């Protein structure tokens, strides 16, 4: 199980890095096309506006799609990293006690249905992603103790209210 989780964590980290390179590259293309268009306009020299516009639009579309893909792959990589961290080094994880304020359903690609939970921790709102099985039997205003890593909760215990 640890080996499989480690493989998935490494695989998704590599996908995240690959998407980050695509976002960076497409951003550079958009900036380069914009710089050329501004330069050519300022100097009054001829340029093929159709080709420059198409290249800029393609670069911008790739950039925006890449940002969306980066956000998704980052969350999936963080999820598998949190699970791996729980299996290997659970003593290094953060233990938080708070009251459930808000619970929303969130569908993440490749992970599935999760809950985006807002906890009131010492008067400050904190948001974490929870797998559904961790919230069974819990309701808003319940006081819980949560073992977390990054944005993900991996273990939940109900605590008596003070």
């Amino acid at each position: 199980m640890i080996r499989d989780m480690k493989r998935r964590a490494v695989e998704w980290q590599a996908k995240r890095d690959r998407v980050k390179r695509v976002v960076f590259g497409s951003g550079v293309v958009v900036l380069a096309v914009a710089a050329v268009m501004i330069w050519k306009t300022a100097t009054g020299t001829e340029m093929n506006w159709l080709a420059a516009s198409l290249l800029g639009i393609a670069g911008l579309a790739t950039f925006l799609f890449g940002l969306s893909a980066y956000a998704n792959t980052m969350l999936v990589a963080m999820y598998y990293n949190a699970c791996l961290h729980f299996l290997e080094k659970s003593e290094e994880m953060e233990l938080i006690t708070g009251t459930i304020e808000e619970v929303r359903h969130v569908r993440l690609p490749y992970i599935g249905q999760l809950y985006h939970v807002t906890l009131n921790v010492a008067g400050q709102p904190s948001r974490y992603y929870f797998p559904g099985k961790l919230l069974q039997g819990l309701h808003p205003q319940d006081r819980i103790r949560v073992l977390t890593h990054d944005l993900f909760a991996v273990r939940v215990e109900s605590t008596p209210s003070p």
Side-chain angles (χ1 to χ4, degrees):
M1 179 157 180
I2 291 177
R3 194 174 327 164
D4 183 49
M5 200 57 66
K6 189 177 286 191
R7 181 189 58 78
R8 287 183 181 183
V10 168
E11 174 186 333
W12 280 99
Q13 185 66 36
K15 287 180 182 183
R16 179 184 145 212
D17 292 343
R18 190 169 41 245
V19 172
K20 186 178 6 175
R21 287 191 299 271
V22 168
V23 168
F24 181 75
S26 62
V28 168
V29 166
V30 169
L31 289 176
V33 169
V36 167
M37 291 173 106
I38 291 169
W39 178 257
K40 293 285 187 175
T41 303
T43 59
T45 55
E46 290 292 319
M47 75 176 286
N48 187 344
W49 285 97
L50 178 63
S53 298
L54 289 176
L55 189 60
I57 290 170
L60 187 61
T62 303
F63 180 77
L64 294 175
F65 175 76
L67 280 179
S68 173
Y70 180 73
N72 289 335
T73 56
M74 180 183 66
L75 285 172
V76 175
M78 288 171 67
Y79 172 75
Y80 284 120
N81 191 28
C83 293
L84 178 64
H85 208 81
F86 176 66
L87 293 173
E88 288 186 332
K89 307 174 200 170
S90 60
E91 67 280 352
E92 294 178 7
M93 297 184 78
E94 189 175 358
L95 185 62
I96 296 171
T97 303
T99 305
I100 300 174
E101 287 187 352
E102 180 185 1
V103 178
R104 291 183 306 155
H105 296 276
V106 176
R107 174 124 178 88
L108 290 178
Y110 309 105
I111 298 174
Q113 185 74 27
L114 293 178
Y115 293 92
H116 195 225
V117 178
T118 303
L119 297 176
N120 183 348
V121 180
Q124 298 293 324
S126 298
R127 292 174 182 83
Y128 296 98
Y129 291 99
F130 287 72
K133 63 184 176 193
L134 294 181
L135 290 178
Q136 288 178 346
L138 296 174
H139 303 90
Q141 304 309 317
D142 284 354
R143 190 161 174 76
I144 59 174
R145 184 174 296 135
V146 182
L147 196 59
T148 65
H149 182 69
D150 289 333
L151 298 174
F152 291 92
V154 293
R155 188 172 177 180
V156 175
E157 297 174 4
S158 181
T159 62
S161 296

